[in-house]
Amino acid sequence: MPIVPQMPSWQTGMKMYMPQRCAVPTGLGLYVYGQTLWNTSVDFEDLCRDYYSHAFGDGWQDCMLHMQALSDTFDMCIRKDGRTYTLADCKEKLEACLVKIRQFRAQYSNMQFEGAVSQLSWSYLLVYHAYLERLLQLLLAAAAGDVSGGKEQL
């Protein structure tokens, strides 16, 4: 018998889906989850500032704003009954994301950051950007009807 009785998540209020996904490109999702397990009155913006400042060190404000802008740009309208868009409809959003990623990488890819945590956080973010750039190129090629061109991007 477990020391702590097992209760269904609906009784404890805990909802956790695929923690691996929540940690890419940053660990913000897991950090917020951990901080709000027993204190649901904490301010989300305060948690974001605390996380980004500790994880990214110098340049954390730019990183936080970039991630928010990327999220806002990439956000697609998905309803309970399915997508309300086609890939071709998303072309402008996909191109805008690609531009944001390239601009951010150009600004930060050669910077030196102090501390192991900051270095790892930035390197993971830049690896994620490289992955996302390839994915966006693939989606843009598919939106243009060029399936073979999309495969070449991989």
Side-chain angles (χ1 to χ4, degrees):
M1 174 173 268
I3 296 172
V4 178
Q6 299 297 314
M7 295 190 311
S9 63
W10 60 268
Q11 287 180 338
T12 62
M14 291 187 284
K15 294 179 177 77
M16 189 64 170
Y17 305 106
M18 300 168 33
Q20 307 90 318
R21 182 173 175 244
C22 296
V24 174
T26 71
L28 177 64
L30 292 174
Y31 177 76
V32 170
Y33 175 71
Q35 293 295 314
T36 57
L37 277 172
W38 291 275
N39 182 5
T40 58
S41 64
V42 68
D43 181 64
F44 179 72
E45 295 301 322
D46 287 343
L47 289 176
C48 288
R49 285 188 290 275
D50 185 54
Y51 173 81
Y52 277 98
S53 66
H54 286 94
F56 289 92
D58 294 338
W60 72 268
Q61 297 99 332
D62 290 341
C63 182
M64 187 173 79
L65 291 173
H66 168 71
M67 293 306 296
Q68 184 60 52
L70 197 60
S71 178
D72 291 345
T73 303
F74 198 65
D75 190 30
M76 306 295 175
C77 180
I78 300 177
R79 301 184 321 208
K80 289 181 182 180
D81 58 343
R83 290 185 285 173
T84 60
Y85 59 88
T86 65
L87 201 50
D89 295 334
C90 301
K91 189 175 182 229
E92 285 183 29
K93 287 185 176 189
L94 297 172
E95 289 171 342
C97 285
L98 198 54
V99 167
K100 288 179 191 298
I101 288 169
R102 288 175 175 165
Q103 289 171 340
F104 190 81
R105 188 175 55 231
Q107 183 178 357
Y108 282 99
S109 62
N110 294 321
M111 289 186 70
Q112 299 296 318
F113 296 95
E114 293 187 25
V117 172
S118 292
Q119 289 175 3
L120 283 173
S121 294
W122 282 101
S123 65
Y124 290 154
L125 182 61
L126 294 173
V127 167
Y128 170 74
H129 277 150
Y131 161 78
L132 189 55
E133 182 175 7
R134 290 286 176 105
L135 177 62
L136 290 168
Q137 290 170 338
L138 174 70
L139 293 172
L140 284 166
D146 182 9
V147 178
S148 62
K151 289 180 182 177
E152 291 173 12
Q153 295 299 327
L154 295 174

